[in-house]
Amino acid sequence: MIPLFASSLKPYHDRLSDAIDRVARSGRYILGPEVEAFEEEFASYLGVRHCVGVANGTDAITIALLALGVGPDDEVVMPSFTFYATAEAALVLGARPVFCDIDLDTFCVTPDTVRAALSPRTKAIVPVDLFGNVAPIPALRELGVPVVEDAAQAAGAALGGTPAGALADVATFSFFPSKNLPCLGDGGAIATDDDELAERARILRFHGSKDKVTFTDVGYNSRLDEMQAAVLRVLLPELDGWTERRRAVAAAYERLGLGQHAMLPKATEGAEHAYHLYMVRSERELPMGRGYYRTPVHRQPAVRSGAELPATEEAARTNFALPMGTDLSEEQVRQVVEECASGST
Ligand SMILES: Cc1ncc(COP(=O)(O)O)c(C=O)c1O
């Protein structure tokens, strides 16, 4: 059986154990030197001034929106074709997600779909770099509303040579174990060039306090912990090599003829896809395939927006994730293609 997520941390187990052991013996477990070092290393990898480690990718979006001043009744434009957390992050602030459609080929929002959803109440746009592709962020920034890039699925991707996570006013990451840059539990980060926004995010991740004595805001207890930061410091240097392997798997799917049996994913113009998931579209059920977001966010019971989003509906109905990961062999790719061929006319 070929796993859908074909990546293993086995080769890194000894180094991860050493890192965890170092933290266990250090006596510093929360907001210590490992978090500080990881924040510097990840900021430097992305080429941004600041990285703020937080507890998970959902909190990262909430805190980024709150740092931008988003609050009750503000509108936040975002895709419905995404993981529920993108919308939830705005909903917990009392803000109103306004759902826009996507481009079927890239699975991402476009300047036109976002523009159609803007109103005078729009306080932020949250494009999602879905499945490891990159949304057309530079064009979205021209719409004149702050952009929060949900890069949870896109560590290692780039657009026009700039890393995903360095394209918007502020970007957010998840280090959930299945992500392209994983930790061994929950973890997340906020990345920005904006000094003030970074400072606000630091305050908001620690109960609304700068000095742990005076509490100026109602914030969150949302910190990346020392162990996860130490783990991320071991794995971050591997990210570019892993991304190359994912791209090689995607190239093999194309070379071995998968395009005859399903519609292959397209990178946004100028983007270097990181293939968090290898997502094709097909009218018929694909063996080994798994559908994502079959009920898009705008139709979830907690949301129930009346938005009409034809491309979102079609993507939700016809997408299939096929096995992808750093450890997938050419032989396994061939097997997947053969399985997809069986039953195709
Ligand atoms: C697009 C997207 N946004 C946000 C999140 C939330 O991240 P986390 O699970 O770390 O809270 C995820 C991941 O699960 C995601 O895929």
Side-chain angles (χ1 to χ4, degrees):
M1 181 67 189
I2 302 173
L4 193 61
F5 290 90
S7 303
S8 164
L9 291 180
K10 207 165 171 200
Y12 312 99
H13 280 176
D14 285 347
R15 286 163 59 202
L16 292 173
S17 297
D18 288 348
I20 291 167
D21 188 59
R22 181 175 76 231
V23 174
R25 290 170 195 281
S26 74
R28 295 283 301 275
Y29 307 123
I30 296 287
L31 295 185
E34 299 285 347
V35 168
E36 221 169 273
F38 172 69
E39 287 178 341
E40 266 174 35
E41 287 159 13
F42 197 43
S44 147
Y45 172 85
L46 295 173
V48 298
R49 287 170 58 79
H50 307 281
C51 166
V52 181
V54 294
N56 55 67
T58 311
D59 285 2
I61 306 169
T62 300
I63 290 173
L65 289 171
L66 190 54
L68 278 171
V70 172
D73 301 324
D74 288 332
E75 293 183 359
V76 180
V77 174
M78 63 179 65
S80 165
F81 193 61
T82 177
F83 181 54
Y84 173 66
T86 312
E88 188 184 33
L91 285 164
V92 297
L93 295 174
R96 199 163 85 79
V98 176
F99 297 102
C100 67
D101 217 348
I102 52 164
D103 174 75
L104 255 184
D105 288 332
T106 64
F107 295 115
C108 290
V109 302
T110 72
D112 285 343
T113 66
V114 169
R115 196 180 293 110
L118 294 178
S119 88
R121 302 175 81 113
T122 310
K123 203 69 185 267
I125 304 169
V126 186
V128 179
D129 295 335
L130 204 68
F131 305 139
N133 197 6
V134 189
I137 312 276
L140 296 175
R141 290 188 79 177
E142 287 174 17
L143 297 172
V145 179
V147 176
V148 179
E149 178 183 8
D150 180 351
Q153 301 187 3
L159 181 73
T162 302
L167 292 156
D169 297 277
V170 53
T172 61
F173 286 91
S174 164
F175 304 124
F176 186 81
S178 63
K179 296 290 194 272
N180 286 24
L181 176 60
C183 64
L184 302 182
D186 277 312
I190 296 166
T192 184
D193 268 333
D194 183 324
D195 299 350
E196 220 172 286
L197 207 64
E199 176 70 4
R200 295 238 347 113
R202 280 184 202 290
I203 289 170
L204 291 170
R205 79 171 167 185
F206 190 91
H207 304 286
S209 176
K210 188 175 181 170
D211 57 7
K212 307 179 187 175
V213 177
T214 305
F215 296 84
T216 52
D217 295 81
V218 177
Y220 292 83
N221 176 0
S222 182
R223 300 168 301 225
L224 182 66
D225 68 63
E226 285 286 285
M227 286 215 191
Q228 300 306 345
V231 162
L232 285 161
R233 294 185 69 201
V234 171
L235 299 181
L236 177 60
E238 308 299 327
L239 178 59
D240 284 344
W242 287 340
T243 306
E244 282 316 309
R245 303 226 299 259
R246 289 173 179 277
R247 288 177 182 147
V249 170
Y253 273 129
E254 278 193 42
R255 184 162 29 83
L256 295 172
L258 182 65
Q260 290 161 35
H261 317 295
M263 267 173 286
L264 304 187
K266 268 203 196 129
T268 298
E269 199 182 330
E272 295 166 71
H273 208 302
Y275 298 103
H276 170 57
L277 290 166
Y278 191 77
M279 213 31 113
V280 300
R281 285 191 298 120
S282 164
E283 288 292 337
R284 91 195 146 82
E285 196 77 17
L286 288 182
M288 289 188 174
R290 177 177 137 190
Y292 269 74
Y293 318 136
R294 285 279 186 252
T295 304
V297 178
H298 74 288
R299 288 199 283 107
Q300 290 292 342
V303 177
R304 283 198 217 282
S305 132
E308 285 188 21
L309 307 169
T312 295
E313 299 294 355
E314 188 165 341
R317 185 175 60 81
T318 57
N319 79 80
F320 290 92
L322 296 178
M324 170 50 77
T326 57
D327 299 341
L328 213 61
S329 67
E330 175 117 352
E331 189 40 44
Q332 287 174 309
V333 172
R334 191 185 307 278
Q335 270 180 46
V336 176
V337 175
E338 277 168 14
E339 288 261 358
C340 289
S342 64
S344 111
T345 49

